[in-house]
Amino acid sequence: MEQETAMFTIATRRASRAIRCVFAAALAVGAFALTGGGLVVAEAEAAAPSQLSPEQIKSVQGVSDYFNRFSHIQGEFVQVGPKGHVSQGLFYISKPGKLRFEYAPPNPFLVVADGSYVIVANKKNEKTDYYPLSKTPLQLVLAPKVNLLQEAKVVDVQRQDHLVAITLEDKSAFVPGQLILVFDEQKPELVQWIIVDGDGNRTTISLSNITTDVAPDPKLFVFNAPRKIEMRDSR
């Protein structure tokens, strides 16, 4: 039993590090600032939905409604990693359950969610890890019907002017940490993805040139695995 627990802990930590490649992350172990918007998110304790104000509940529901208004979304992203490394690329989402993050060189990573697994491929060393989609924070926003109030733990809702930052925790807790969605209510549009892993590492991805009226090529979500493959599961 101790050996199984240790193996699960190692797999969980590796999963959290890999999932950082997908999400924007800036967590409030300290704080993060959204440049130009003036919105600062401080560290927060988890709050039950009953503790949220009617205005906060409306903001969370508004973000759920945003994700439910489209089946497809694509655009560009700029990622700043925990050590300040900057990457950029293209992203594609096709609900339910499908996503692709293409990183421009020299970043060697490719992230694909094919409906069942999140696949993190390192093209440099030809190594690929598979993580069950249902055990990652991605399942919160790739579901056929997104309901953040029901499916996630709402940790905090902060707003300033037209910007809202919603801090969430995945109820499954397979990947420890918090996911923050920064939403512009005026546009309305998601402008940043934010997550912190269990070690407190932060990454930030800012989104731009977003379109929701073009269906991505289904082949984008089909992954042909290279030679070195490692399966990651909770079992």
Side-chain angles (χ1 to χ4, degrees):
M1 178 64 71
E2 291 181 357
Q3 183 177 8
E4 292 180 354
T5 301
M7 292 177 64
F8 176 76
T9 301
I10 293 172
T12 300
R13 288 177 178 173
R14 289 193 61 178
S16 66
R17 287 195 291 269
I19 295 303
R20 290 204 309 266
C21 297
V22 184
F23 288 116
L27 179 79
V29 174
F32 82 92
L34 181 58
T35 303
L39 180 62
V40 177
V41 179
E43 185 173 3
E45 298 290 336
S50 60
Q51 296 175 322
L52 300 176
S53 70
E55 184 179 24
Q56 290 175 320
I57 292 175
K58 182 179 178 180
S59 292
V60 177
Q61 189 58 55
V63 175
S64 294
D65 292 342
Y66 167 77
F67 281 106
N68 290 328
R69 280 200 296 270
F70 58 80
S71 297
H72 313 288
I73 183 171
Q74 57 186 288
E76 302 173 8
F77 69 88
V78 175
Q79 172 180 303
V80 181
K83 296 182 179 180
H85 297 151
V86 178
S87 301
Q88 59 185 343
L90 304 175
F91 76 92
Y92 308 86
I93 291 175
S94 183
K95 295 194 306 180
K98 296 180 179 180
L99 171 146
R100 182 183 182 96
F101 267 64
E102 291 184 357
Y103 288 82
N107 190 317
F109 283 99
L110 171 67
V111 180
V112 177
D114 64 2
S116 299
Y117 286 91
V118 178
I119 304 153
V120 182
N122 186 325
K123 292 176 285 186
K124 184 176 181 180
N125 62 17
E126 295 185 321
K127 185 175 180 180
T128 306
D129 291 324
Y130 283 66
Y131 305 95
L133 175 61
S134 62
K135 302 290 180 65
T136 75
L138 279 172
Q139 55 94 13
L140 294 174
V141 294
L142 295 183
K145 182 72 173 179
V146 175
N147 188 333
L148 297 177
L149 286 169
Q150 181 178 343
E151 300 298 332
K153 293 181 181 179
V154 180
V155 175
D156 193 26
V157 180
Q158 296 188 32
R159 63 193 323 276
Q160 184 171 332
D161 299 327
H162 53 89
L163 295 176
V164 176
I166 299 172
T167 305
L168 307 169
E169 290 180 353
D170 182 7
K171 287 184 176 180
S172 72
F174 177 71
V175 179
Q178 295 177 332
L179 169 66
I180 302 172
L181 303 177
V182 180
F183 190 72
D184 187 328
E185 292 185 320
Q186 275 189 344
K187 291 186 177 180
E189 192 170 270
L190 186 70
V191 295
Q192 284 187 334
W193 302 70
I194 300 166
I195 204 175
V196 63
D197 70 9
D199 296 324
N201 295 301
R202 292 179 280 178
T203 308
T204 302
I205 295 179
S206 299
L207 309 179
S208 62
N209 297 325
I210 294 173
T211 61
T212 59
D213 55 354
V214 178
D217 185 342
K219 294 180 181 179
L220 290 171
F221 311 109
V222 177
F223 181 76
N224 296 317
R227 289 174 293 175
K228 298 179 182 179
I229 301 175
E230 291 193 13
M231 299 294 293
R232 301 293 168 191
D233 204 331
S234 62
R235 292 174 295 179

